[in-house]
Amino acid sequence: MRRISSTLRTLTAACLFGAAAVGGALATAPMAAAAPTGALACGWDPDAASGRAYYNHCTSSGSWIWIRVERHGAGGYDKCVGPNRTYLGSTSVIKYAWYKGGTC
């Protein structure tokens, strides 16, 4: 019985020490820099304030790509978009847009 109690105390102490070490490491980890205000997201980029749906194709090559545009209560469609932000329509109509793959 003594041996089990001793082993249990050792394991408990080791777990507590490990948890404290991990917690301390997390507490001292540097915070990630926040995205600048007004930065546009790549890909699906709705503007909730204006109710407009956009797709932002981030590229440095100037390529045009195929995206799939999903609509609320209706079928989706494929669209070829160029670099930067493309207006897709109202967010009351456009549900989501995603990179389908391939260039156009």
Side-chain angles (χ1 to χ4, degrees):
M1 182 70 170
R2 268 186 186 201
R3 185 175 190 159
I4 292 173
S5 295
S6 174
T7 303
L8 185 57
R9 274 195 302 268
T10 302
L11 288 173
T12 302
C15 287
L16 289 174
F17 178 74
V22 169
L26 292 176
T28 59
M31 297 292 290
T37 303
L40 300 176
C42 293
W44 170 243
D45 188 26
D47 184 346
S50 69
R52 295 180 178 151
Y54 296 92
Y55 188 89
N56 190 24
H57 174 40
C58 299
T59 181
S60 58
S61 70
S63 62
W64 286 63
I65 60 166
W66 284 108
I67 65 169
R68 180 72 180 175
V69 179
E70 304 292 346
R71 296 183 289 182
H72 296 284
Y77 60 91
D78 297 338
K79 182 173 181 74
C80 181
V81 297
N84 302 315
R85 203 172 195 206
T86 300
Y87 175 70
L88 301 175
S90 169
T91 54
S92 64
V93 175
I94 306 299
K95 181 178 182 180
Y96 188 67
W98 49 274
Y99 172 66
K100 184 176 179 176
T103 56
C104 49

